[in-house]
């Protein structure tokens, strides 16, 4: 039988279908045009973003909500350079992403041709791996490899750059074969000896803390984590990327530690005699100055990426492996052991009562973000997927929203990319049209990618966006207040430009506004009722509010600033 | 600080040298010497990197993350056969000629070309031998010199 002859472009689309890709996000252009032709006839849904950065974050939101591969397509040159931010973002937060970019014809590469950029070079440090295709026949196999690399081990972005002539070249469709990746063999099963050593340490510990992050979510290990924590009574802190890996509200859940973590979570680590660190990387936003971090604790560090172990903090017991397998191993090794953590658990319980998160919402005063968030959560009956931008509002959402399920909290943790929320929410809603998807954004962040509101309305993706409008780059303002004598250099936006109601309306969405306490219920109920269009809520909030607790960058986690009063003693 | 020698087996794919060197520079580390060439196995190249760093473990782990990097071995300097090649072009004149040639042959350098006012020598040996030869030739006026990067093999592996 003669093999079916296809163009390179058809091989790309056929390849994506073969890999069960159902949705792609992108923006067309000259070099990638051949691929858009067969895409038109494919069952794959294409969402036309208004900017490639938006397309990239949409693919990330899709991937983070589902735990599956997100796919983004862009053209050569500026299309590809616009993708660099989402690629770097996905690399930092270990999000499985496949980016397909058009390139100028192979004969023109290196000649500074129109819309030529050295995409493979530019994206090298922003991807887990990348490819330049040199013959159309490579396409099916490379796409299979790319998906495998993106979704296995520590997930991450992979880019495939395809010159236009290769997209037009004719080659046979050959079903991709076995992968030949001699340099890529992630270790998923932990070394049993290490697991035994870890369990021996845990048995001896009186003050253990499970310090867990995004790795739990990637590995879908939340049920195993729950069993480990509850069976042996070990308190859990969930990092910014790990929120939802263990349910907030559970008596063992201490929630987020670190720079803007709550007092108990941060202090529990400082007082612990053992850190059971799983799927975390001792990020500086958690550790502050590492020399003062958890000085009394031994460390068990389990991660699928060996390079994370010992990078910041030496581990007494290093374990390379997938979080789920590691935790299962630990549960088995601990058997029917009873840990003596009773005092520890009750000490932390008292601490939580003594040092709660606090804020003051005055009856007639300006709205405070934490209060609005708590009210919003009361009004949303169903489990929402919550997406945040970067800044004060992000920290408040992480602090005050109750996360009980994995993959319901999407944010840009590692890179801190403003503009992430709106497009990422679109991506999540595309994956789960029936779920409530809330983008809880800052005004500064929103303005970085707000054109994607058009994408949401024209593609019929009815997300809900709350813009916490403090008229400022609030987080920048907060730092200027504390560290730069209140010299507010270039951090002021405005409350009233743009007019968010008109902006929403002009982009095909519904705009609503809340200014005071008495607006909240009415406006949010209206927002929750509208499901045929995106809704944007302009939530005007106090421009001077600050996020606490706070540990300044490079400081010690033993010195937590709890409120504005504490600042005076700084 | 002492030198560390990494022997890195890589897939012979485009861009692999760029990936390795950019991974090293991205983490803020310097390379004293780097060489790359084919091996006896088809489709595999070997890179030899000499660096002076404490954090070599972290670099090894970061390099191991590269999809095209197959295996990294840190060579034990006491068990390692190491060599480097050098080409050196030096000025000569009637007065210096004999002395230059004599010094070169004492150093085991081979003369590969001799012109009216220059001579080119080739020398293979340890980095120290090469350094020594360079300083011997310096007084005569070195016109140009290239060194090929250090390559190494461990004798007990
Ligand atoms: C792309 C990008 N540029 C700049 C920054 C620096 N930055 C961090 S937070 C912030 C302010 C965010 O303002 P807004 O979205 O209004 O959030 P708020 O802090 O007011 O809640 C800025 C400018 C960043 N994180 N990302
Ligand atoms: Mg703001």
């Amino acid at each position: 039988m003669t093999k079916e002859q296809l163009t390179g472009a058809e091989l790309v689309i056929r390849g994506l279908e073969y890999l069960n890709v159902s949705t792609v996000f992108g923006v067309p252009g000259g070099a990638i045009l051949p691929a858009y032709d067969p895409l038109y006839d494919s069952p794959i849904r294409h969402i036309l973003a208004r900017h490639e950065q938006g397309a990239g974050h949409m693919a990330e939101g899709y991937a983070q909500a589902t735990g599956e591969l997100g796919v983004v397509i862009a053209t050569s040159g500026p299309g590809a350079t616009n993708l660099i931010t989402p690629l770097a973002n996905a690399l930092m937060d270990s999000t499985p992403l496949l980016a397909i970019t058009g390139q100028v014809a192979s004969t023109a590469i290196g000649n500074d041709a129109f819309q030529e950029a050295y995409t493979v070079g530019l994206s090298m440090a922003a991807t887990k791996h990348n490819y330049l295709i040199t013959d159309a026949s490579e396409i099916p196999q490379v796409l299979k490899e790319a998906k495998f690399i993106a979704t296995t081990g520590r997930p991450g972005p992979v880019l495939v750059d395809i010159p236009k002539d290769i997209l037009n070249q004719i080659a046979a469709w050959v079903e991709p074969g076995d992968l030949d990746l001699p340099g890529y063999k992630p270790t998923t099963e932990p070394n049993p000896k290490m697991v035994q050593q870890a369990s021996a340490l845990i048995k001896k510990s009186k003050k253990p803390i499970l310090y867990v992050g995004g790795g739990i979510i990637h590995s879908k290990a939340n049920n195993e984590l729950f069993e480990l924590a509850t069976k042996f009574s070990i308190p859990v802190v969930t990092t910014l990327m790990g929120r939802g890996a263990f349910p907030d509200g559970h008596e063992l859940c201490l929630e987020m530690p670190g720079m803007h973590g709550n007092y108990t979570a941060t202090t529990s680590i400082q007082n612990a005699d053992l850190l059971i660190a799983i799927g975390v990387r001792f990020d500086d936003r958690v550790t502050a100055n590492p020399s003062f971090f958890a000085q009394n604790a031994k460390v068990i560090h389990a991660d699928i990426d060996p390079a994370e172990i010992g990078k910041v903090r030496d581990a007494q017991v290093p374990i390379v492996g997938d979080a789920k397998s590691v935790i299962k191993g630990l549960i088995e090794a601990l058997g029917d052991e009873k840990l003596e953590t009773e005092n520890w658990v009750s000490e932390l319980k008292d601490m939580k009562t003594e040092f709660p998160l606090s804020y003051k919402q005055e009856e007639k005063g300006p709205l405070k973000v934490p209060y609005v968030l708590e009210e919003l959560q009361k009004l949303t009956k169903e489990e929402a997927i919550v997406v945040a931008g970067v800044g004060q509002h992000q920290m408040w959402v992480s602090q005050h929203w109750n996360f009980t399920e994995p993959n319901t909290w999407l944010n840009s943790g590692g890179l801190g990319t403003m503009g992430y929320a709106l497009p990422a929410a679109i991506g999540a809603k595309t994956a789960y049209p029936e779920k409530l998807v809330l983008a809880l954004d800052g005004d500064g962040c929103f303005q970085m990618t707000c054109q994607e509101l058009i994408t949401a309305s024209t593609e019929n993706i009815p997300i809900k966006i709350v813009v916490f409008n403090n008229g400022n780059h609030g987080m920048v303002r907060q730092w200027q207040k504390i560290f730069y004598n209140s010299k507010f250099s270039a951090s002021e936006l405005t409350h009233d430009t743009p007019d968010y109601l008109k902006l929403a309306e002009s982009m095909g969405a519904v705009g609503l506004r809340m200014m005071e306490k008495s607006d909240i219920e009415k406006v949010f109920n209206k927002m929750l009722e509208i499901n045929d269009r995106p809704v944007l809520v302009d939530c005007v909030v106090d421009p001077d509010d600050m996020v606490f607790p706070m540990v300044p960058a490079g400081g010690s986690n033993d010195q937590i600033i709890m409120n504005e009063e504490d600042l005076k003693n700084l | 600080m002492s030198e560390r020698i990494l022997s890195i087996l890589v897939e012979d794919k485009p861009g692999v040298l760029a990936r390795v060197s950019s991974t090293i520079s991205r983490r803020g580390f310097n390379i004293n010497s780097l060489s790359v060439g084919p091996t006896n196995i088809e489709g595999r190249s070997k890179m030899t990197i000499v660096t002076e760093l404490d954090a070599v473990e972290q670099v090894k782990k970061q390099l191991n993350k590269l999809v095209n990097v197959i295996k990294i071995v840190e060579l034990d300097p006491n068990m390692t056969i190491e060599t480097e090649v050098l080409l050196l072009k030096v000025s000569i004149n009637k007065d210096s000629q004999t002395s230059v040639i004599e010094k070169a042959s004492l150093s085991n350098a081979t003369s590969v070309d001799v012109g009216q006012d220059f001579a080119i020598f080739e020398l293979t040996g340890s980095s120290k031998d090469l350094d020594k030869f360079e300083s011997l030739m310096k007084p005569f006026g070195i016109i140009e010199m290239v060194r090929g990067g250090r390559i190494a093999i461990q004798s007990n592996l």
Side-chain angles (χ1 to χ4, degrees), chain A residues 31-102:
Chain A
I32 195 68
L33 263 184
Y36 272 83
D37 192 60
L39 179 57
Y40 190 84
D41 306 316
S42 160
I44 294 174
R45 181 177 184 196
H46 178 269
I47 309 279
L48 173 62
R50 264 47 179 178
H51 189 295
E52 290 84 357
Q53 183 190 351
H57 292 322
M58 288 173 202
E60 287 185 274
Y62 182 96
Q64 288 176 293
T66 56
E68 284 164 25
L69 184 74
V71 182
V72 55
I73 301 181
T75 194
S76 66
T81 56
N82 276 348
L83 271 188
I84 297 295
T85 299
L87 289 173
N89 193 70
L91 186 66
M92 275 287 211
D93 288 346
S94 313
T95 303
L97 210 66
L98 169 63
I100 295 173
T101 47

Side-chain angles (χ1 to χ4, degrees), chain A residues 255-274:
Chain A
E255 309 190 10
M256 183 174 75
M259 180 177 272
H260 291 296
N262 71 76
Y263 181 91
T264 308
T266 305
T267 306
S268 73
I269 292 177
Q270 295 304 84
N271 296 350
D273 65 8
L274 178 67

Side-chain angles (χ1 to χ4, degrees), chain A residues 53 85 389-394 396 415-419 441-446 448 468 470-476 493:
Chain A
Q53 183 190 351
T85 299
V390 173
Q392 291 183 312
H393 65 281
Q394 172 193 28
W396 278 317
L415 199 66
T417 308
M418 290 173 71
D441 212 358
D443 46 350
C445 290
F446 176 76
M448 288 216 175
F468 289 107
N470 55 7
N472 275 280
H473 286 301
M475 188 56 96
V476 175
L493 305 162

Side-chain angles (χ1 to χ4, degrees), chain A residues 194-451:
Chain A
M194 291 294 132
V195 175
Q196 282 306 330
Q197 283 182 20
S199 110
L201 274 190
I202 296 172
K203 286 176 187 170
K204 273 189 285 185
S205 168
K206 301 236 165 2
K207 297 177 160 196
I209 287 289
L210 272 159
Y211 156 38
V212 302
I216 302 289
I217 292 169
H218 294 306
S219 138
K220 301 182 171 50
N222 50 300
N223 290 332
E224 288 74 11
L225 173 67
F226 190 84
E227 185 182 344
L228 176 66
T230 52
K231 184 166 177 198
F232 304 101
S233 262
I234 309 172
V236 184
V237 301
T238 47
T239 67
L240 184 64
M241 293 310 296
R243 305 283 295 115
F246 190 76
D248 290 352
H250 190 283
E251 67 159 1
L252 290 168
C253 191
L254 308 178
E255 309 190 10
M256 183 174 75
M259 180 177 272
H260 291 296
N262 71 76
Y263 181 91
T264 308
T266 305
T267 306
S268 73
I269 292 177
Q270 295 304 84
N271 296 350
D273 65 8
L274 178 67
L275 290 187
I276 310 163
I278 307 177
V280 287
R281 56 187 179 89
F282 293 76
D283 180 73
D284 56 77
R285 259 47 187 166
V286 169
T287 63
N289 185 334
S291 352
F292 302 120
F293 179 74
Q295 293 184 76
N296 305 315
K298 293 207 163 94
V299 173
I300 297 165
H301 190 180
D303 204 285
I304 194 140
D305 179 359
E308 288 306 338
I309 300 173
K311 186 181 80 177
V312 175
R313 171 77 178 245
D314 282 336
Q316 277 67 41
V317 183
I319 309 178
V320 180
D322 181 60
K324 193 175 201 150
S325 309
V326 171
I327 299 175
K328 278 187 179 163
L330 287 175
I331 295 172
E332 198 183 303
L334 287 166
D336 290 324
E337 188 76 16
K338 286 269 166 296
L339 302 191
E340 292 168 43
T341 59
E342 229 166 279
N343 292 343
W344 176 230
V345 171
S346 81
E347 183 187 324
L348 293 170
K349 204 168 163 183
D350 294 346
M351 203 184 280
K352 275 203 249 183
T353 324
E354 196 179 343
F355 301 98
L357 290 169
S358 69
Y359 62 86
K360 270 197 219 82
Q361 175 64 59
E362 277 151 23
E363 205 43 49
K364 286 273 170 257
L367 286 174
K368 304 281 186 178
V369 178
Y371 178 74
V372 177
L373 287 170
E374 288 178 5
E375 292 305 297
L376 173 58
Q377 187 153 32
K378 274 185 225 156
L379 294 168
T380 49
K381 310 272 177 312
E382 56 201 295
E383 184 87 53
I385 295 178
V386 173
V387 193
V390 173
Q392 291 183 312
H393 65 281
Q394 172 193 28
M395 292 298 110
W396 278 317
V397 180
S398 180
Q399 288 179 345
H400 293 272
W401 199 268
N402 253 347
F403 293 101
T404 53
E405 295 288 336
N407 305 92
T408 59
W409 161 240
L410 318 184
N411 84 131
S412 165
L415 199 66
T417 308
M418 290 173 71
Y420 163 89
L422 169 57
I426 293 175
K429 183 77 178 171
T430 310
Y432 295 115
E434 75 290 356
K435 285 197 187 173
L436 171 63
V437 178
L438 293 168
L440 305 178
D441 212 358
D443 46 350
C445 290
F446 176 76
Q447 289 176 32
M448 288 216 175
T449 51
C450 61
Q451 73 279 11

Side-chain angles (χ1 to χ4, degrees), chain A residues 91 118 120 124-125 127-131 145 149 154 180-184 305-311, chain B residues 11 13-20 22 26-27 44 57-58 61-62 64-71:
Chain A
L91 186 66
Y118 177 31
V120 164
M124 202 171 270
T127 52
K128 184 172 171 185
H129 193 54
N130 62 17
Y131 296 86
E145 246 178 61
I149 293 169
R154 179 177 180 174
D180 175 29
L181 293 166
Y184 181 74
D305 179 359
E308 288 306 338
I309 300 173
K311 186 181 80 177
Chain B
E11 283 186 280
K13 293 253 167 96
V16 64
L17 176 61
R19 288 178 207 279
V20 168
S22 101
R26 170 159 181 240
R27 303 274 162 188
R44 302 283 184 267
E57 284 310 313
Q58 180 55 211
K61 287 176 175 174
Q62 293 296 343
N64 256 321
K65 284 172 69 164
L66 297 174
V67 170
N68 300 139
V69 169
I70 299 168
K71 193 172 174 180

